[in-house]
Amino acid sequence: MPAGQGTLMDFASFLIQMLNSLQYGLLLFLVASGLTLVFGIMGIINLAHGSFYMIGAYLAFVLTSATGSLFLAILLGIPLTFIVGAFLEWALFSHLYKREHLEQVLLTYGLILIFEELRSLLVGDEVHGVDIPAIFSASIPLSDVLSYPVYRLVISGVCIVLAVALYFVIQRTRLGMMIRAGNHDRTMVEALGININMIYRVVFALGFALAALAGMLAAPISSVFPNMGSHVLIISFVIVVIGGIGSVWGALIAALVIGFADTFGKVLLPDYAGMVVYLVMAVVLLWRPEGILKKG
Amino acid sequence: MGHNLNKAFKFGIGMALAAGLTSGAQAADDKIKVGFMLPYTGTYASLGNAITNGFKQYVAEQGGKLSGREIEYFTVDDESDPAKATENANKLVKRDKVDLLVGTVHSGVALAMAKVARENKTLLIVPNAGADEITGPLCAPNVFRSSFTNWQPAYAMGKVAAQKGYKKVVTLTWKYAAGLQSIDGFKEAFEQAGGKVVKDMTLPFPNVEFQPFLTEIASLKPDAVFVFFAGAGAAKFVKDYAAAGLNKTVPLLGSGFLTDGNLDAMGDSGKALQTTLHYADGLDNKKDQAFRLTYAKTYKMQPDVYAVQGYDAAQLYGAGLKAAGGDVSKQADVIKGMEAAKIDSPRGAFTLSKAHNPVQDIYLREVQGGQNKVIGIPTKALADPARGCKL
């Protein structure tokens, strides 16, 4: 970089970078929210969470090609992934609750390999694009040369709605109450005559569907490609740990913090951009070892 | 939890390794043994397959024999994993005792292969990986390349950018060797011709959150942007660039890997994008037309630049064997034959530099109707400077 070429930005650019941060943070939240539910409430370390995201993106690609509409793809995709999630819980994860984390990690690592191999056999190894739905394909001009794609704003909107809905379900509904109770004391909840197995199945299926929805929504802007899940897996764990394991609000705050750290890190500290996110994690964990919001 | 997680990760990776071991076969002594060490799984699987197909196509065109000798193939999936590269290369070199090692796509893996080849004096042809070092400071008499250096296409684009009258350019790439070497190549040609790179931007590989950089580009308002991206990240970048409206005011330039294999994924965003590479669609060249026809018939798909590089690796080896009368034990003669060869490639004829890298034309291509159509030849017979090579 030539001398005198300041990295500090003018005010308009600063505002746009704020928007970038917010938008990226909200997308991260969508991916991480499912993980924080499964990890925090059920105590399962699910390395295959990134694969669920990948499955969502490929579903968006396959179903959009078949139906011609991303909306239809999402409408079909959500119940489909919910059912697959419930089946996986029944067939595999329900046997893991009382086991060691190590065994959970082994199973879910194996699932990553299986899902990637299936993806390769069924859809292939090519990079695919998914078209942005026509009504959202416009861009809003922000400066003389830069515009902002409407679709990115739509994703942010969906993320906000989902955050509020998740909060409402968990804090204000009977189902949410049972979920929280099951998190505190599984045996006691069972003794009260609540079918805790069914609750866990629903939570797991919901976690799967949320990750897949994130993949479906992100498909048009991120492209669809092999191993795309591994890119989001680590950042999702970072968010869950920073936010406080099991806390949906915590995950939201953490995702926004990471969004800001990543965006401004890239612009202001380009040589250390890869580290900024993890520095933030280290600082937060030193300050609050349990994460920003403890579970509860 | 962190500790358990880590332990489990290592265990899982160990298991994956054990499962990935491929079994070798006993070789008949009269056949020439060719070992492919290429990616057959993962992101680069299609590239590994294209290289293999191209190589085998040339051998098949010669009646399945080179200099009268039958060819026996050995394959190892390198998984594009540098950590396993030395072990994988040794499987082919020490266990299977191949006469020729062919590989690979990933530069980090290729550098490890070159080391194994040098130590064991095994002949190596690199059919893709563009790391400048392989035919630069780390060059060796028994190491050849049938593809390109990262420097080559980027250098050509630097010339193009200057010819178009751009004065102020911003660059962006992942912070890894292929990207940084490409940027250096571009800068060398562009700044020699009087242009100025006003800002170099990088992001960690394989991060694809480009939005902050697009905002930076918009505020810097350069005459053009030069990038190096490849694969899925490249498709995403081109789409993001168009979605931000930057393609209307700030032309995007790139090394050819920006668009190769990505045209479908990019859709309309890639329209009229200009890139430079040593291969293109629509070349006016009989060899290319014949090659493409046979390839499409044999493999039921269209060939790409990787298939060409595999095909030329076989041609190059064929020339060496011919010079040695088919006797692989006369390695010095094989090498001499390869060094002197004029390869009639689908990309256009090329020879090798002293450092064993192709001296080749670099094409300027434009995305038209789902193809990378050739629109010019900014640099004819471009040789990599091979800095640091003492051959």
Side-chain angles (χ1 to χ4, degrees):
Chain A
M1 197 188 307
Q5 175 82 49
T7 43
L8 278 171
M9 51 196 93
D10 57 274
F11 189 62
S13 296
F14 173 74
L15 285 183
I16 300 171
Q17 296 291 20
M18 293 286 278
L19 181 63
N20 291 333
S21 311
L22 189 67
Q23 192 265 327
Y24 183 46
L26 283 168
L27 186 64
L28 289 178
F29 165 74
L30 189 58
V31 190
S33 60
L35 186 67
T36 205
L37 283 180
V38 171
F39 190 13
I41 293 176
M42 303 167 57
I44 297 257
I45 296 185
N46 181 16
L47 295 185
H49 190 75
S51 300
F52 297 172
Y53 173 84
M54 181 272 291
I55 289 170
Y58 271 89
L59 268 181
F61 165 65
V62 171
L63 292 176
T64 307
S65 313
T67 63
S69 151
L70 183 65
F71 294 118
L72 267 178
I74 291 176
L75 277 182
L76 287 170
I78 290 175
L80 203 62
T81 49
F82 191 87
I83 292 166
V84 174
F87 170 78
L88 278 178
E89 198 275 347
W90 171 78
L92 299 172
F93 287 85
S94 60
H95 305 288
L96 283 182
Y97 299 135
K98 290 176 186 147
R99 303 269 192 109
E100 291 253 330
H101 279 327
L102 182 66
E103 291 171 56
Q104 301 172 353
V105 166
L106 268 183
L107 172 77
T108 53
Y109 181 70
L111 280 179
I112 295 180
L113 301 180
I114 292 171
F115 285 139
E116 282 295 334
E117 205 54 39
L118 280 176
R119 186 262 315 138
S120 176
L121 289 173
L122 295 174
V123 195
D125 293 320
E126 288 82 32
V127 181
H128 297 288
V130 175
D131 286 336
I132 293 172
I135 60 163
F136 296 137
S137 64
S139 289
I140 302 168
L142 291 182
S143 73
D144 46 349
V145 289
L146 189 72
S147 5
Y148 215 78
V150 171
Y151 185 73
R152 281 180 181 265
L153 300 176
V154 171
I155 294 183
S156 302
V158 172
C159 294
I160 291 171
V161 169
L162 271 171
V164 173
L166 269 180
Y167 178 78
F168 181 79
V169 167
I170 289 174
Q171 298 297 333
R172 296 290 156 87
T173 64
R174 195 175 163 78
L175 174 69
M177 210 187 290
M178 292 192 281
I179 291 173
R180 279 179 291 138
N183 181 24
H184 282 298
D185 194 335
R186 195 186 150 103
T187 324
M188 191 65 194
V189 173
E190 263 182 316
L192 289 173
I194 292 167
N195 186 349
I196 190 73
N197 292 332
M198 194 46 78
I199 303 262
Y200 272 33
R201 196 153 299 155
V202 168
V203 171
F204 187 85
L206 186 66
F208 193 129
L210 278 172
L213 176 63
M216 290 190 272
L217 284 172
I221 53 170
S222 82
S223 303
V224 176
F225 55 95
N227 299 318
M228 63 188 297
S230 62
H231 296 218
V232 301
L233 177 67
I234 293 175
I235 199 86
S236 298
F237 268 106
V238 168
I239 287 167
V240 170
V241 171
I242 293 183
I245 294 165
S247 165
V248 172
W249 262 165
L252 178 60
I253 295 168
L256 291 175
V257 168
I258 294 297
F260 278 89
D262 189 71
T263 302
F264 283 91
K266 277 173 180 162
V267 180
L268 299 178
L269 300 166
D271 289 337
Y272 308 98
M275 272 161 53
V276 171
V277 165
Y278 302 99
L279 278 178
V280 169
M281 175 166 86
V283 170
V284 170
L285 292 184
L286 282 174
W287 167 52
R288 287 192 156 209
E290 302 262 323
I292 295 173
L293 296 182
K294 279 166 71 172
K295 69 176 170 184
Chain B
M1 175 216 109
H3 179 65
N4 270 349
L5 195 67
N6 192 17
K7 221 163 64 182
F9 247 132
K10 282 186 183 150
F11 183 61
I13 288 164
M15 301 235 303
L17 247 176
L21 291 175
T22 45
S23 55
Q26 281 296 317
D29 286 334
D30 55 341
K31 292 179 181 168
I32 292 177
K33 293 186 249 180
V34 172
F36 292 122
M37 179 167 150
L38 290 163
Y40 293 108
T41 57
T43 315
Y44 293 140
S46 58
L47 282 60
N49 286 320
I51 290 167
T52 311
N53 289 346
F55 194 100
K56 289 185 173 169
Q57 178 175 330
Y58 179 74
V59 174
E61 283 172 11
Q62 312 308 307
K65 291 182 181 177
L66 293 179
S67 293
R69 305 268 313 263
E70 276 188 53
I71 308 288
E72 181 172 16
Y73 297 108
F74 295 79
T75 51
V76 166
D77 178 9
D78 70 32
E79 300 170 55
S80 300
D81 184 352
K84 300 177 192 164
T86 304
E87 187 196 336
N88 281 333
N90 275 325
K91 278 183 208 160
L92 291 167
V93 169
K94 295 207 168 122
R95 183 191 66 194
D96 301 330
K97 303 204 166 23
V98 295
D99 301 307
L100 170 71
L101 190 58
V102 177
T104 186
V105 171
H106 186 292
S107 280
V109 180
L111 287 169
M113 289 178 74
K115 192 158 171 281
V116 172
R118 271 201 313 277
E119 282 164 4
N120 296 283
K121 306 224 178 319
T122 306
L123 196 58
L124 168 69
I125 301 179
V126 178
N128 185 64
D132 292 350
E133 296 90 331
I134 296 172
T135 54
L138 303 177
C139 70
N142 58 324
V143 175
F144 288 78
R145 176 150 52 192
S146 65
S147 51
F148 61 94
T149 61
N150 292 323
W151 182 91
Q152 281 180 313
Y155 181 87
M157 189 47 105
K159 263 181 89 173
V160 172
Q163 279 162 8
K164 285 178 186 280
Y166 302 144
K167 297 275 176 258
K168 216 174 78 171
V169 167
V170 168
T171 69
L172 174 62
T173 184
W174 283 312
K175 197 170 182 171
Y176 69 161
L180 299 176
Q181 291 175 349
S182 294
I183 300 298
D184 285 347
F186 174 84
K187 221 188 232 178
E188 190 178 330
F190 184 59
E191 298 201 330
Q192 263 168 18
K196 180 101 194 106
V197 171
V198 292
K199 189 164 187 180
D200 289 315
M201 301 190 290
T202 57
L203 70 165
F205 177 77
N207 192 306
V208 290
E209 187 52 32
F210 300 115
Q211 216 59 30
F213 300 105
L214 300 180
T215 308
E216 272 291 280
I217 291 168
S219 82
L220 291 167
K221 298 197 182 69
D223 300 329
V225 175
F226 175 80
V227 298
F228 180 92
F229 291 113
K236 179 174 185 332
F237 179 79
V238 170
K239 287 175 90 168
D240 284 357
Y241 197 83
L246 285 169
N247 58 343
K248 290 183 204 112
T249 45
V250 187
L252 180 62
L253 312 170
S255 202
F257 301 100
L258 189 65
T259 51
D260 265 69
N262 281 332
L263 290 173
D264 287 345
M266 285 173 189
D268 278 349
S269 313
K271 223 155 120 189
L273 199 59
Q274 294 194 353
T275 58
T276 42
L277 200 67
H278 52 288
Y279 191 55
D281 291 312
L283 292 180
D284 182 20
N285 161 351
K286 285 220 166 60
K287 179 80 184 178
D288 187 45
Q289 285 148 13
F291 166 77
R292 296 182 79 112
L293 195 66
T294 313
Y295 192 95
K297 267 190 197 158
T298 316
Y299 303 108
K300 313 283 176 237
M301 58 177 160
Q302 287 301 313
D304 52 16
V305 62
Y306 308 106
V308 172
Q309 291 166 178
Y311 185 83
D312 291 343
Q315 290 208 68
L316 188 57
Y317 190 50
L321 283 176
K322 201 168 168 193
D327 186 352
V328 288
S329 64
K330 293 182 186 158
Q331 201 191 50
D333 292 343
V334 177
I335 288 174
K336 262 188 215 145
M338 289 168 72
E339 284 173 336
K342 184 165 197 269
I343 304 297
D344 185 17
S345 167
R347 76 186 89 167
F350 70 84
T351 55
L352 289 186
S353 69
K354 274 197 173 128
H356 297 170
N357 189 66
V359 177
Q360 55 194 339
D361 296 349
I362 304 290
Y363 302 103
L364 177 64
R365 308 109 43 94
E366 185 175 285
V367 177
Q368 293 172 6
Q371 287 193 313
N372 287 300
K373 281 268 188 239
V374 57
I375 56 169
I377 310 177
T379 49
K380 283 191 108 39
L382 179 64
D384 181 272
R387 294 182 181 107
C389 174
K390 295 200 179 69
L391 279 177

